[in-house]
Amino acid sequence: MKKIILLVVIVTIVALFFVSEKKEIKYGYVSNITIKLKDNNTILNIPLEDYIVGVVAGEVPATFDIEALKVQAIIARTYVLKRYNKSNNYDVENSVLNQVYISNSKMKEKWKEKYDV
């Protein structure tokens, strides 16, 4: 009986050690997905996270409430991932028919000194 009690105590202590160990929670997920964007007659390969930033910048004014920008990012991500790898040539077109994307250089040009990376 003493051996069983000792075993239960040891297992409990070991379990508590693993449960109480602090784990770092990392926010934000960066994928390794690359979006094929048809811009005029050119196919651009853009990392998903950069693409989402460009779509949010292209679709809604930066002056919108932060929550609206977050919702737009979710919508943009959902839309492009639904279309991801459905076609052999490209995933989305840079147009109002799909999603409007603007590059970092166009963001800098548009917002000038208000542009912030």
Side-chain angles (χ1 to χ4, degrees):
M1 183 70 167
K2 288 181 182 181
K3 288 181 181 180
I4 293 176
I5 293 174
L6 182 61
L7 180 62
V8 169
V9 169
I10 291 172
V11 169
T12 304
I13 290 171
V14 169
L16 286 174
F17 172 76
F18 286 110
V19 170
S20 66
E21 182 180 329
K22 292 185 179 180
K23 297 184 191 248
E24 182 180 344
I25 298 173
K26 296 182 180 180
Y27 295 98
Y29 170 73
V30 178
S31 71
N32 60 354
I33 294 174
T34 300
I35 301 302
K36 292 184 284 186
L37 173 70
K38 182 179 179 187
D39 192 15
N40 296 319
N41 289 327
T42 306
I43 304 296
L44 305 172
N45 292 306
I46 305 168
L48 175 62
E49 307 309 325
D50 294 340
Y51 175 77
I52 299 303
V53 170
V55 169
V56 172
E59 294 275 344
V60 296
T63 56
F64 273 28
D65 186 85
I66 188 68
E67 296 303 318
L69 298 174
K70 289 177 186 178
V71 169
Q72 184 64 37
I74 292 168
I75 293 167
R77 186 181 185 93
T78 302
Y79 181 82
V80 76
L81 289 178
K82 182 163 178 58
R83 296 181 55 95
Y84 181 67
N85 278 341
K86 298 286 186 195
S87 167
N88 292 334
N89 299 329
Y90 58 89
D91 299 312
V92 287
E93 253 184 275
N94 188 9
S95 74
V96 294
L97 299 176
N98 285 162
Q99 293 180 316
V100 176
Y101 167 85
I102 62 174
S103 65
N104 277 332
S105 60
K106 287 184 182 177
M107 285 183 236
K108 288 178 188 176
E109 181 182 308
K110 182 177 179 179
W111 297 318
K112 298 177 181 30
E113 67 279 345
K114 292 183 180 180
Y115 176 80
D116 186 17
V117 178

